Amino acid sequence: MTDDLETPRRPTPGELTFTSPRRSKPPRHLADMTTADRREAVTALGLPAFRADQVSRHYFHRLSADPTEWTDVPAAQREQLAHALTPTLMTPVRELTADRGTTRKTLWRLHDGSLVESVLMRYPDRVTMCVSSQAGCGMNCPFCATGQAGLTRNMSTGEIVEQVVSGARQLAAGDVPGGPGRVSNVVFMGMGEPLANYKAVIGALHRFVDPSPAGLGMSARGITVSTVGLVPRIRELAAEGLPVTLAVSLHAPDDELRDTLVPVNTRWKVSEVLDAAWEYARTTKRRVSIEYALIKDINDQAWRADLLAKRLRGKLVHVNLIPLNPTPGSKWTASRPEDEREFVRRLEAGGIAVTVRDTRGREIDGACGQLAAAE
Ligand code: SF4
């Protein structure tokens, strides 16, 4: 299939891609389906509908996609059910570990050869899975390796969910130092702009929070959806009734710089993005996260910290400053420590809650997209 070998066209500076160029569809998986759809898929095979619930329980609760372990299902039906409900969606190409095995990054190959990555991060009090929502990304942020490579295609709900289930399996099996555990948090901060793949992401959010056997039964409070600021989608997300945390990748408080740093700003300006974020906070009662990658001499000036504080003052908001993890050969690099300190000080002086994000997995190319870009 020539499609498998296709590489996406590199975008020209500032070019935005909202629609998935590649149309190849991954196999349909039970994680793509509602409970009713799963039952229908099973009855179409001439099997009783409750088999769908049994297989769902194996997948989401026992974290098993191996039909030989489904001992409550007649042996003769297991392969047929596995074929219809749990086809292989992705295979690991490489796994890299850091922080004494508590940070694990997996590079996955999807059915059509697309590469994506996920990262498991274990902390003393939680386990966070950072997932990809698209193969590549169409938002073209100039400091980001994924953005420079362009968008290959949208991922399916099943492909997004499988990244978390696979991390949950590793934890349950005790493969991550610290003993058996569970995934408590999911952040959509891997490859892709989640809100540009809206329908599949909403499906994944439902699978994460739906109680077993329909889904993983996680708390919506532990889930963060990030966006560069697709304003109509932020408003839609607010109306979904899923109180996940919204993280806005702002990276600049002024339109002049943000137009180049986050090219989607040419479509929706800082004030429009922030208005949508405040509406999100009002509707969901959830504090909005503002993500700000500190880039040396680009967006880390003291006056920008003051302007950011002014724009956020009095809102239900928290700022996450991210020391930029430089891409090899790139002119974009992390701020000087003294500039970072001054930026924090000015935000705090302006009454804004701020943390500097712990940059896990630096030694394994922790910035989004770097592992896949290196393949
Ligand atoms: S920073 Fe995020 S939104 Fe921007 S190009 Fe990279 S993956 Fe896409």
Side-chain angles (χ1 to χ4, degrees), residues 136-141 143-148 190-193 228 251 368:
C137 182
M139 296 298 107
N140 204 3
C141 304
F143 56 88
C144 165
T146 303
Q148 294 317 287
M191 296 173 107
E193 159 57 46
V228 281
H251 305 318
C368 79

Side-chain angles (χ1 to χ4, degrees), residues 296-340:
K296 184 178 153 194
D297 296 332
I298 301 286
N299 65 353
D300 61 355
Q301 302 84 352
W303 71 265
R304 283 204 159 92
D306 293 340
L307 179 58
L308 181 62
K310 192 169 151 218
R311 301 200 85 147
L312 306 184
R313 195 162 298 147
K315 303 295 185 188
L316 193 58
V317 70
H318 183 100
V319 174
N320 261 319
L321 295 175
I322 310 152
L324 188 80
N325 192 3
T327 313
S330 161
K331 63 173 177 148
W332 312 93
T333 191
S335 299
R336 297 171 199 89
E338 61 271 27
D339 293 339
E340 181 184 301

Side-chain angles (χ1 to χ4, degrees), residues 138 160 235 310:
I160 298 169
R235 296 191 191 280
K310 192 169 151 218

